Amino acid sequence: MEVQDVDMRGPDDIDMHVAEAAEMALDPQAAEEDEEAAGSDEPGEPTADDDEDEDSSEEEEENEEEMRKVAKDFIVDEIEEEESEEDLRETKRRRKKRRHRHREEEEDLDDDDRELMEENMGYRPGRKLTRVRRGRIGSDDGSASPEPAPSRQATRVDDLQNIWEEEQRDDDMEEADYMDDFIVDEGEEGELDEEERKERRRAERERRRAMGARPDMDGIDAAAWDEIFEVFGDGRDYDWALEGEEANEETEEAVKPDMKYTDVFEPSEIKARHLTEDDDIIRMTDIPERMQLSSSSLSPSATLTLHDDFDFSQHLSAAAAWVAMRISPRITRDFFRQGAPHQALLTPLIIAISRILEFMLIRNFEVPYIYTHHHDLISHFDYEKRVMTELLSRDELWRVGILGMKFRALTERKEILYKTYEKMGVNDDYFDSDLKDHLDSIEAVADASEWLGMKYRQALKDAVEMPEDDSVDVSKRIKKPTRTSPYETAKSTIASKLAEGFGISSAEIVRNFISKAKKSSTTDQDVTPVAYANEFVTDGPAGVIRDAEKQLELARLIIATEIGKDPVLRQRIRTLFEGSAVISCLPTERGNEKIDEFHPYMNFKFLKEKPIEKMKDSPQFLHILQAEHDHLITVQIKLHDQAQHVLERDLSNAFFSDGTGPVSKGWNAERKLVVTEALEKHLLPLGIKWAREWLREEIEDSLAKKCGDSLQDRINRAPYRTEDIEPGDVPSVMAVSWGKGDPQKDAVHIVVLDEEGRLRDHLKLDNLLDEELKEQFTELIKRRNPDVIVVGGFTASTKKLMDQVKLLVNGPPDPAETKAAPNGQPSSKQQASSSEPNGNWGAAASDGWGATGSQSNDPWGAPASQSSNADPWGATPGGDWGSAAASGDWANPSAEQTPAANPASSSSPERPKSKEKSKEKEERKTPIIYVNDEVARIYQHSKRAEDEYGRIPLLGRYCVGLARYVQSPLNEYASLGSDLAAMSFDECQTLVPKDKLFVAFERALVNVVNTVGVDINRAVIDSYYQTLLPFVAGLGPRKAEQLLQRISTLGGTLVNRSQLIHENVLGMTVFLNCSGFLRISRDMSYRKSSSKKRKNKDSTDAVPDPLDDTRIHPEDYDLAKQMALDALEIDQDDVEDDAHAAQLIGKLMEDPDNAKKLNVLNLDDFAATLFKTQGKEKRHTLDMIKQELLRPFGERRKEFLLPDKWDILTMLTGETESTLQRGKIVSVSVARVKSNFVAVRMDSGLDGVLAAKYLSNDGHAIPEQVVQKGQTIPAVIIAVYVDEFRVEFSARPMDIQTGDAHTRRIPLDECYDKVLMERNKDIADRKKRREVDQIRRIIKHPNFHNLNYKQAEELLSHQQRGDVVIRPSTKGPDHLAVTWKVDDGLYQHIDVVEPNADITSQTVGSHLVVDGKYQFSDLDELIVNHVKAMARKVEELMAHDKFNGKPTDSEIHVDLDQKIRSMRTIRSVYAFGLNRSRPGCFNLHFKANTMSPIQTLLVKVNPNGYLLDGQEFESVAKLCDGFKTKVGRMGGAPGAQTPYGSARTPAMTPGRGGGGGATPGHMSSRQTPGYASSRVNPSVGKTPNPYAASAAKTPNPYAPPAPGAGGGRPPVPAAASGGGWGAPPAAPGGSWGATGGNWGQSPAPQRGGPPPPQPPPGGGAPAGMHPSRAAMLNAANSRGNDWGSNRY
């Protein structure tokens, strides 16, 4: 069917209709009920019940009908017939009858059917009525016409309390219906025919209708009805609820409002989408968006600010003078001071500020427009001397705008105050002469309002309550509660007359104080103050003195309050505090304990009277406020003593009389009290409060500006540029990263972006070691030929990736670039040629980490198994570790295949490069750089990244962020929006409110974006580029969205700037602000790309203008045309029209000699002529026009900033110069132990080295005897090699004992009170000593003694093992200490926690806890069940035959060595010994064979048994069995050979560069057997030196074994012994995890022992490992894929 009619409904109507259709489709029965309710039957017609149990087939029919109805709503036929209401009612009636008939068939069930339904369905259907029940029939004709049953939707029931009533009424009506239609008397059934029965039913209905709706009330007489009506009414109060549903539905449909987006979206989402009414106002108002907002547009809390109509033009002169004094210290210094360098230009400065304020506050122009296109306003050109002087900088111009808005607010408040003063109807000379013209701040206006309220309270109240409109009834106004102040109370008494007797008014006092002269003299009374006060006392003689003093006190209160409330004096106090206030800090009791010498707040813990002016340039005061908020310190702000003394003296002199007699002295004493009260109660508290807030605001603004300047420095950077790229051009970028650098998890991701920022390739490689993968990488570089390669990552391993990329792209570095290591370390070249290739730190490689030449040795000591042409990272050709180059849709992208995530990339060709440029790029080395990746880290997790590149993994998106940053830092930061607050620009920025940060960030973005300009046609089609548009002058997020939408309606492309006005795209004010920054490029690529979308709406005069591709404002096009014609020497009359002029300008811009032609023009004379003839100052504008004609939108940003070496180190490791400060003690983990050094690693992944001479105080330590692999030790930083990502440490005990307090101690402020600090320290020490020496707690128990631990041990030294002493604990009053004797000279101290301790009682509580898990009810239970139980376990173990009672471990070791040597067969031996360092524990020493070291395990004793490696054994026998089982799991049965491949877990710790890896968990404090004790065999963990010359030379581990060696086992193939995973040969002993070794690798032969075990012929798997995994690892090792040697 052809559809011709167009549905003209709005989007909201369509959305509402779709929602209704979806609701009907989801719930057809509810839709059916809604339809039935909307079309209920007319009265008098029989209807069927609307029951919920309906037939499913009927629902299907109705669903089809509803679907047809929905389709009908969406497709309107050309000829549509409207059904009448009668036809609709008839259709619904038939439908209801069908349902009713079907329901009757359902209800005709017998008892068996009902029982069956009850059994299967859970309910029993009711049966039909068999007798007549009285029902409530509401229809007029007596037929059953009940109201519809309640719907399943809750909205159908208005009154929830009537739900059951309605259902009951419906049931009664159903029963009545059944009675009428079906139930008859049995006696009459055979006698009456059908007609008679109908007649009888009709008569019954008539009778009931005559009775009314309540047949059960039949028989009530009239009197009773009258009483009922009198009490309950006539029942018509709720008639509205009984109206028909059809009428209700019709009413609802009539008044139902249209659905709006506010009914669909959440308010937060509406606000985020800029769909609120305020947003509409902002879009429609022709004022820049930022001028309409209360704060930054980046802030989520930005709201619309409406300014009342206020004529500001008459205040421009006053505003300019007011603003000029407050702009900056530079302006004050250079223009206002006597003898200032620019004092002669003060008048031009005031005029310039006046015009700027006019532009900003009246004409609504933003700073970028004024600074760029009206720069002559803020500069002065001397036409005689031809000298240009800058009056204001751009930052000062922003400051003028802020001050201008403040002055406007001040002026508006002053106008309100003046109007209120006029309404009051009072005439105050002091206000008119002294106050009115000196209100120059918001605070002064507030003070004046308060002063008027104090003096004329009632008049002010009446003026405020006086309505503006006379029609308003004053009596109906809301009355605010009032409170009478002490001043008002005193003023209403006779004391006010006494106050006048002080001889001078408060206004005169202030005048004297301000002028510092006696303008008004003070008159003394003839009598003393008390005598004079007696004149105002009316009481008897008994109370004269008391009442006189009271009257004087009230009089002093009146005068002191008036002085303290004076606006002029209060303003002077603020000025005084600004210059003379000092700040002091004292710690609270909590702060005294928490703030130590290393706490950040230690800097000001005892700050003493630091001048407030010295705190404005640092965030220290913000830290002080934060510490005060945390209740750590108290802050005191006051005037300096000298300043306060001068203030008090001057104020007293202004008040005192000049008399010298006793009476005058008495009055002056009273006046002195007045001055003191005014200062202490009014003026000084005011100054303190103001100074606190003023200083906080100043520092927050300063810190916010500092953050904004930091952001501006980061974004005001041009794209990265190589030698063959023109300034401003964008390079093509390749970004490479492998994330955290974990070889087991992280693949290498490569992303390529072309010059337009389009994604051209994404490649995922498992590594850059396999030849096949390296070829893919290099082929991609050759194919895409990027201008620059950027490398990024999250750990220090990224350094190795950088080195490998440099090697693959640019080849090996120049050997001359290798630097010698300082501090006596051998250079990399010397290390490579050392006689011990495996024994030197960091053997040099061609890429800085691998090896060179034939000695391709792992820097961590891996064997030199690679040939001279082997991969420098240890991979051999053919190794297939992770050989899959990529996975998923991004695998192996060819030149023709581009990612589908960016549609533009598949259709837009790359920018062609000239042959010369390509040749130059082939000759030069491609730069490989690091860049700041903070934006990329945020971008990879953003929704924007997911929308743009959802198919790329997170690491690929991170690479996209890196590449984009290289192309444009400005775009990357601008796209963050409010996420800029998450960036770090200053370490103290968290102390600044976010709204202030957003204002500073937006200002920086606006400055740079308007400097660069925005290509408007590109912004229409490029969503990423669109993020710059809101920061263009005049625009914002809302106006930018509207601008793009309107351009899209014009076809998606602008031809010239005039279309913005002619097509009503922008208002005139916004157009003037933004047009000069919106670039319309002459490159037609954008126009061609969108030409298919155009709707031929271009006007006939929409022709390109070359000036639209410049920064020249349309206002200055005439000047530009004149300059172009003069340069071309063409007369104005020869120009035909604008098109011809545009053609000439374009010709000049493309002319190679344009600079020469333009330089001929004398711009100074041209500017002078313009000024004389037109009064326009355009000297700076002419320079700008010249620059744009030569280089349109030329690059003005600074060069791309690359991070320095410390920035790179911090970015990849998190370490800074502070954290790596020399002398700082840090924890390091031992990675490898060599004969002359130890390789260690910091927690941040930074590698380090410990020379052997720095392991002991004497400098002669053997590393193997001091440290072990996996051990965590403290070390002191002695040198940092930033370029090599390496740190040199010292672990000498004397260096560790010295500590690093000097590196962590917080420097004290220059105004620190060190005397008070020492005094406070002494007080704290004395307090601590008193707590120690105070009387201990006394408990009545035979074992309790008030002793310390030494005294307890002395007491137990003469007693038996297992005896106990209970004593007080130093941990607090809720702790007890239990000391028991383990052995002679060995005592265990147990900490007992008493949660409900009562220190005043001599008994303990009923709840004692030991070790957090053992609980006892009293001390006796604790002694018996805990201490004695452990004593029995100790006795049991000490009685065992394996217990060795030697006092030291070394003696036990000697016994074990002697014992195992005396055995004829190789067996393991073990023994138990007491652990002297941990009382209550035992050491289990064992030796597997004669060549293995003695290893030690810790056995803990508890009340239930013995604990070995986390497993509990209840007896000594089970402990021994468990130990043997454990040793068997570790390395086979004691005395047996090490099983094949059991020496090392084939895995690496993430981020480790050394080979071999480590057993998982090596970073923990729990060490593997063999490293538990510091006294170990020197051979443990030491790799045999295959090159050392000695009699017992280590056999070649790669040579076939001698005949008969190894028990006849077959030799290991050479490929199998290639050092899989880069580990050295296994050390003797072969115990599990103790030394190096690899799966599938033959261990080194033992010194003087049998040859190493060989793998079984089938490649047997170690115990506990799946055979398939062992086979995989063996295969990997057989291919020589030595990842452990130098995994990047």
Side-chain angles (χ1 to χ4, degrees), residues 8-20 257-265 275:
M8 299 302 293
R9 292 173 293 180
D12 296 337
D13 298 330
I14 293 176
D15 292 343
M16 182 178 66
H17 195 82
V18 171
E20 292 177 352
D258 295 335
M259 182 175 291
K260 300 180 180 179
Y261 55 81
T262 54
D263 302 327
V264 179
F265 299 107
L275 297 176

Side-chain angles (χ1 to χ4, degrees), residues 474-736:
V474 180
S475 61
K476 294 183 178 180
R477 292 175 61 91
I478 299 176
K479 294 184 179 180
K480 298 180 180 179
T482 59
R483 185 182 63 180
T484 303
S485 65
Y487 170 81
E488 295 169 354
T489 304
K491 191 73 174 176
S492 62
T493 65
I494 195 66
S496 60
K497 296 294 183 179
L498 177 58
E500 296 175 1
F502 275 69
I504 190 173
S505 66
S506 59
E508 292 172 334
I509 296 173
V510 175
R511 287 195 184 104
N512 292 341
F513 175 79
I514 297 299
S515 64
K516 295 185 178 180
K518 282 292 223 176
K519 287 189 174 183
S520 300
S521 60
T522 305
T523 304
D524 293 329
Q525 299 298 327
D526 297 333
V527 293
T528 62
V530 176
Y532 185 73
N534 286 332
E535 299 178 7
F536 300 91
V537 175
T538 58
D539 293 342
V544 169
I545 297 178
R546 184 178 67 252
D547 291 339
E549 292 293 341
K550 180 65 174 177
Q551 293 298 332
L552 283 174
E553 181 181 346
L554 293 177
R556 291 195 300 267
L557 170 65
I558 293 173
I559 302 175
T561 303
E562 292 178 353
I563 293 175
K565 297 292 185 181
D566 187 274
V568 177
L569 188 56
R570 288 162 75 96
Q571 184 62 32
R572 180 60 62 92
I573 292 296
R574 295 190 188 95
T575 305
L576 192 60
F577 265 86
E578 180 180 350
S580 303
V582 293
I583 298 178
S584 301
C585 298
L586 286 175
T588 62
E589 184 176 355
R590 179 166 174 254
N592 215 5
E593 298 176 357
K594 190 171 183 179
I595 302 177
D596 56 12
E597 59 180 344
F598 308 116
H599 197 280
Y601 295 163
M602 187 63 187
N603 175 260
F604 50 81
K605 182 179 181 180
F606 293 99
L607 194 66
K608 181 180 181 181
E609 296 187 356
K610 183 172 184 178
I612 198 171
E613 285 192 343
K614 292 185 177 180
M615 306 190 74
K616 292 194 296 184
D617 298 330
S618 73
Q620 184 187 49
F621 186 67
L622 297 182
H623 289 290
I624 291 175
L625 294 180
Q626 183 62 41
E628 184 186 37
H629 178 269
D630 296 338
H631 306 289
L632 298 179
I633 64 170
T634 58
V635 183
Q636 181 188 24
I637 302 177
K638 67 172 187 175
L639 281 177
H640 191 272
D641 292 341
Q642 182 65 24
Q644 184 168 346
H645 172 72
V646 172
L647 171 64
E648 188 172 356
R649 183 198 63 193
D650 293 344
L651 194 56
S652 299
N653 293 337
F655 195 10
F656 286 3
S657 68
D658 297 331
T660 57
V663 175
S664 298
K665 290 183 179 179
W667 280 105
N668 286 338
E670 291 293 329
R671 295 181 185 113
K672 181 67 175 178
L673 295 176
V674 172
V675 171
T676 303
E677 183 176 352
L679 289 174
E680 294 180 354
K681 292 187 176 181
H682 300 283
L683 297 177
L684 294 181
L686 165 76
I688 292 171
K689 182 179 180 181
W690 176 86
R692 182 188 184 94
E693 294 303 316
W694 170 79
L695 184 59
R696 181 182 60 81
E697 291 284 342
E698 288 290 319
I699 297 176
E700 287 178 352
D701 292 342
S702 175
L703 194 54
K705 184 181 182 302
K706 183 178 178 182
C707 295
D709 293 342
S710 176
L711 172 62
Q712 184 166 334
D713 182 67
R714 297 185 191 184
I715 62 179
N716 192 26
R717 300 286 175 175
Y720 182 85
R721 187 171 70 89
T722 57
E723 296 177 356
D724 54 344
I725 296 179
E726 294 295 328
D729 288 349
V730 178
S732 60
V733 185
M734 172 182 285
V736 185

Side-chain angles (χ1 to χ4, degrees), residues 1413-1536:
K1413 59 181 178 179
Y1414 301 107
Q1415 301 184 13
F1416 308 97
S1417 59
D1418 55 26
L1419 291 175
D1420 292 331
E1421 182 184 2
L1422 185 149
I1423 293 174
V1424 172
N1425 295 337
H1426 190 80
V1427 178
K1428 295 298 183 181
M1430 287 194 299
R1432 287 193 296 271
K1433 294 297 181 181
V1434 171
E1435 292 285 351
E1436 181 182 351
L1437 186 52
M1438 294 177 67
H1440 196 268
D1441 57 353
K1442 290 293 184 180
F1443 177 77
N1444 190 320
K1446 295 295 178 65
T1448 61
D1449 292 342
S1450 58
E1451 293 177 310
I1452 298 176
H1453 293 173
V1454 171
D1455 289 348
L1456 291 178
D1457 287 334
Q1458 293 176 354
K1459 185 175 182 180
I1460 198 169
R1461 289 194 183 95
S1462 64
M1463 295 180 179
R1464 296 183 179 180
T1465 59
I1466 300 177
R1467 294 181 58 189
S1468 61
V1469 294
Y1470 67 96
F1472 294 98
L1474 287 170
N1475 190 324
R1476 297 286 172 177
S1477 61
R1478 299 186 62 178
C1481 298
F1482 290 82
N1483 288 334
L1484 198 165
H1485 310 276
F1486 70 96
K1487 188 176 179 67
N1489 51 52
T1490 56
M1491 297 302 298
S1492 64
I1494 296 178
Q1495 302 187 45
T1496 304
L1497 298 178
L1498 181 67
V1499 179
K1500 295 181 65 176
V1501 179
N1502 61 31
N1504 301 322
Y1506 309 93
L1507 200 66
L1508 175 63
D1509 197 18
Q1511 187 175 359
E1512 189 175 275
F1513 304 92
E1514 62 182 7
S1515 64
V1516 178
K1518 293 183 179 180
L1519 173 64
C1520 295
D1521 294 339
F1523 158 69
K1524 295 175 183 178
T1525 304
K1526 176 179 176 61
V1527 172
R1529 287 198 307 267
M1530 290 168 56

